[in-house]
Amino acid sequence: MRVLEGIRVLDLSRFQSGPVCGMLLGDMGAEVIRIEEPEGAPDRRWGLLGPDGETLSYKIVGRNRKGITLRLNTSQGKEIFRELVKRSDVVLHNFTPGTTVADQMGYDRLKEVNPAVILAAISGFGQNGPDAKLVCFDHIAQARSGGMILTGFPGDPPLKTTITYNDISAGLYAVIGILLSLYHREKTGMGQEIDVSLFDTAFFSTQCMGALLLYEVYGQIRKQVGNLGFHSYIGCFQAKDGKWVLFSGTTNAIWKRLTRAIGREDMASDTRFSTNDMVRFDNAEFINPVLEEWVSQRTSDEVVTIFRDARVPCGIVNTVDQLLDDPQVKARDMILYVDYPGLGKIPLPGIPVKLSKTPGDVQSPAPMIGEHNEEVYCGLLGMSAEELDRLKSAKVI
């Protein structure tokens, strides 16, 4: 048994933040019903397209769902949606506040239909504030939150990360909010609204690093740190076989082990490097040439072996193809191959949360457009086949 079996989620989200949330809920057993337009949602047709003409990322985040179609801006569509809400535990969406469809998903409306329903609304800037109605993507949140000014090397322009951490993290926070709300409902019987924003997520991450506190206490505005840590020494250099190795000299204990491993114990007692992380950060220009030369004289495997034996955190900078044979990836089941219609077996990311008694799994690929219309409408809502055909002819579903 998976832990969220018996929980039904209506997922109207698109692209990444909401779908990541729905994917993780589905992995843990929730019945996640994706609702999209009869012609298919736009996230099926953006970005990198697969041989079948659909977006590759949809095949990842769309797993463990049922897929139905419904045109919400019709009177019949609105009534059908209300019937679905009556029978569901959670409504998930990431529409921008102020849009027609977002207003239709408002918590005040939903709780009139089902007082126990939980609404999880993910947006760019949240449900309130002067910028609530602005459109936002992950990289916009990176820029405005102060994250981009930290990324890249000194003197370079601000740099965004390619990995959309804020989208993914917002999906994770929405999962946390849903789980907390389900627990609250167990005690009270009442649902509630969950408000998660990309900007709040990005701001939270940046400030957990201490950027604002550093400014308030020391008057410093931290800018591009390259491959250093935010306040500590981290190095990334090329070995003689051409591969790059990243290693961390953070904490005094690790720094001592690192200097011993490279035969430079004098650097552990050097006052420019010995007292704390911030001092090593400030004097990285003197450390880098030493480590760069030492790494360049050895293969990447030699560097990693020496550092690992010395208990210095390190790792080779992998390309994606190298991850396929990574023994830790295999041991943790972080690549799962799932049959996908027309494409054969495709690799999906494994489940990052490992539960000992109720583990999650991947039971189904991302659904085709309207793949489960009959199952949901005739099974859950009790429609007849004739009613289903009429709704399809009217392009309501």
Side-chain angles (χ1 to χ4, degrees), residues 14 88 108 119 146 185 209 218 236 266 297 299 323 326 343 376 396:
R14 307 290 187 261
S88 300
D108 287 341
L119 169 64
R185 195 179 68 177
M209 295 296 298
Y218 293 104
C236 185
D266 58 297
Q297 295 173 354
T299 67
L323 294 175
D326 189 306
L343 297 180
V376 173
V396 174

Side-chain angles (χ1 to χ4, degrees), residues 163-200:
I163 299 173
T164 53
Y165 290 108
N166 298 311
D167 273 336
I168 295 166
S169 296
L172 292 172
Y173 292 147
V175 169
I176 294 171
I178 289 168
L179 298 180
L180 292 172
S181 297
L182 287 170
Y183 183 64
H184 170 263
R185 195 179 68 177
E186 282 292 308
K187 296 189 291 185
T188 67
M190 301 300 293
Q192 62 179 303
E193 180 179 7
I194 301 159
D195 176 2
V196 174
S197 88
L198 299 185
F199 179 64
D200 290 352

Side-chain angles (χ1 to χ4, degrees), residues 104-332:
Q104 189 175 337
M105 303 294 148
Y107 179 62
D108 287 341
R109 291 191 178 190
L110 297 182
K111 71 179 182 181
E112 290 180 1
V113 177
N114 180 358
V117 77
I118 294 164
L119 169 64
I122 304 174
S123 62
F125 293 98
Q127 301 299 312
N128 67 298
D131 296 332
K133 296 182 179 181
L134 294 181
V135 178
C136 181
F137 289 106
D138 181 285
H139 45 277
I140 305 301
Q142 286 186 40
R144 186 164 173 180
S145 68
M148 276 181 65
I149 204 67
L150 296 172
T151 310
F153 287 86
D156 288 348
L159 185 69
K160 71 173 181 65
T161 64
T162 301
I163 299 173
T164 53
Y165 290 108
N166 298 311
D167 273 336
I168 295 166
S169 296
L172 292 172
Y173 292 147
V175 169
I176 294 171
I178 289 168
L179 298 180
L180 292 172
S181 297
L182 287 170
Y183 183 64
H184 170 263
R185 195 179 68 177
E186 282 292 308
K187 296 189 291 185
T188 67
M190 301 300 293
Q192 62 179 303
E193 180 179 7
I194 301 159
D195 176 2
V196 174
S197 88
L198 299 185
F199 179 64
D200 290 352
T201 298
F203 186 90
F204 180 77
S205 300
T206 304
Q207 301 320 318
C208 278
M209 295 296 298
L212 185 58
L213 194 59
L214 179 66
Y215 174 71
E216 289 288 341
V217 175
Y218 293 104
Q220 293 184 29
I221 297 178
R222 181 73 83 228
K223 293 188 178 179
Q224 290 92 338
V225 298
N227 283 323
L228 289 171
F230 181 74
H231 54 71
S232 59
Y233 183 76
I234 297 174
C236 185
F237 300 107
Q238 192 171 26
K240 72 177 183 180
D241 58 4
K243 295 182 179 179
W244 291 78
V245 181
L246 181 80
F247 50 87
S248 174
T250 189
T251 81
N252 292 331
I254 293 175
W255 177 248
K256 288 179 181 179
R257 297 200 296 268
L258 187 154
T259 58
R260 189 181 306 121
I262 67 172
R264 289 296 306 270
E265 290 183 86
D266 58 297
M267 295 177 69
S269 57
D270 191 318
T271 55
R272 294 174 299 173
F273 319 131
S274 61
T275 52
N276 60 47
D277 291 343
M278 285 289 287
V279 170
R280 285 190 289 276
F281 178 94
D282 291 337
N283 290 291
E285 61 183 303
F286 303 109
I287 301 174
N288 285 340
V290 177
L291 272 299
E292 184 176 19
E293 181 181 7
W294 185 85
V295 172
S296 69
Q297 295 173 354
R298 293 161 176 80
T299 67
S300 55
D301 284 340
E302 289 173 334
V303 173
V304 167
T305 298
I306 291 170
F307 278 156
R308 285 180 177 173
D309 288 345
R311 295 186 62 246
V312 173
C314 65
I316 293 174
V317 179
N318 278 328
T319 52
V320 171
D321 57 305
Q322 293 168 324
L323 294 175
L324 292 171
D325 295 319
D326 189 306
Q328 188 65 17
V329 172
K330 292 179 179 179
R332 299 290 291 173

Side-chain angles (χ1 to χ4, degrees), residues 63-80:
R63 72 192 191 196
N64 281 337
R65 282 173 174 78
K66 296 175 180 177
I68 66 172
T69 55
L70 184 63
R71 200 171 298 284
L72 290 164
N73 62 355
T74 64
S75 57
Q76 286 178 299
K78 292 175 182 177
E79 181 56 37
I80 291 171

